[in-house]
Amino acid sequence: MSKDKLGPAKTGTSHWWHQRLTAIALIPLILFLVGLLPNMAGATHREFTALMQIPITPVVLILLVAAGLYHMKLGLQVVIEDYVHNACVKMALVVSLTLFTFFLAAAGIVSIIMLAA
Amino acid sequence: MAETPNRPLSPHLQIYKPQITTVLSITHRATGIVLSLGVVLLVAWLMAAAAGPQYYEAAQACAGSWLGYLFLFGFSLCLFYHLLNGIRHLFWDAGHGFELETVTRTGWAVLVGTVLLTVIAWVLGLTVMGRI
Ligand code: HEM
Ligand code: HEM
């Protein structure tokens, strides 16, 4: 990838817009999680997997993990860009953040599917 | 250059009087960072559940310890703050609520709402679980 493709002047608007889009999506998803928590907290493994057999639970959890992680990645990237001034360090941190986010998304979604299966 | 003593200077945070606007703004960032840690833990918890009952029990024991409760409580405060203040942000993005008076009023509303929602969520949650 060329250096010219990076930076707020090139991707800033879509970044800004995606941060808002995921924020809006997260409002109902978070409310669903808050409603789910009393059933999750203190549940045995059997009770929890039973909850995961109801299709709405894994579906909403996957959406929550995906939107939440994407929103998190966009947000933390802005924080890094604001505070880290060395270009190499900045690049290394943003790349690490991206890889870590993909790892979490894959791990989270695979776990949810295993629990629902 | 010596002729411009009254130029506005950018705020020097250490000597700048804290105001509700500035304090709430940096708190949005701080809670966003705490929530990031929360999402990581949520995924870790899901991975433990998928790995099998013994890992799941260990994760539940962590969450059920006093440290787990402390973190969950702090996490819920951050979540509701970021949620309410995030909605405030979205209204600004749509071009509403910029008058200084409105900014101050919605700022306090976010703080009061955060405390209320956190208390309500925990009272409801503990009641549903039969703890109180
Ligand atoms: C708005 C956010 C949250 C609220 C209001 C909340 C509320 C609660 C409450 C009231 C308990 C009491 C548990 C008990 O006595 O068994 C609890 C425990 C627990 N919570 Fe949450 N929680 C929140 C976020 C989370 C998140 C994000 C997770 C991620 C997995 C989580 C996982 C757990 C677990 C595993 C327990 C088990 C405690 C136990 O076994 O006793 N909570 N939560
Ligand atoms: C999964 C939970 C969430 C995480 C991990 C998270 C994380 C973050 C982070 C790290 C930032 C960057 C802060 C900054 O640049 O100063 C941010 C910004 C933002 N968040 Fe969230 N957030 C979450 C949920 C939400 C929700 C539910 C909303 C709903 C309204 C929301 C609305 C916003 C908005 C509007 C911004 C941009 C603020 C700005 O431009 O300064 N977030 N979030």
Side-chain angles (χ1 to χ4, degrees), chain B residues 115-132:
Chain B
V115 173
L116 275 183
L117 284 178
T118 306
V119 169
I120 291 172
W122 280 83
V123 168
L124 277 182
L126 291 171
T127 308
V128 169
M129 291 184 311
R131 293 289 177 107
I132 50 173

Side-chain angles (χ1 to χ4, degrees), chain B residues 97-117:
Chain B
F98 276 123
E99 306 76 20
L100 194 52
E101 198 190 314
T102 315
V103 170
T104 307
R105 199 150 33 81
T106 53
W108 285 106
V110 163
L111 286 180
V112 173
T114 301
V115 173
L116 275 183
L117 284 178

Side-chain angles (χ1 to χ4, degrees), chain A residues 33-34 37 40-42, chain B residues 42 45 59-60 63-64 69 72 75-76 79-80 121-122 125-126 129 131:
Chain A
L33 175 72
V34 172
L37 283 168
M40 281 162 67
Chain B
L42 175 65
W45 187 79
Q60 286 287 58
Y69 265 66
L72 285 170
F75 178 75
S76 61
L79 180 65
F80 286 125
W122 280 83
L126 291 171
M129 291 184 311
R131 293 289 177 107

Side-chain angles (χ1 to χ4, degrees), chain A residues 5 21 32 39-40 55 66 70 74 81 85 88 96 98 100 117:
Chain A
K5 291 241 165 62
L21 217 61
F32 179 90
N39 301 308
M40 281 162 67
Y70 188 32
L74 295 172
E81 285 166 353
H85 296 304
C88 290
S96 311
T98 309
F100 185 53

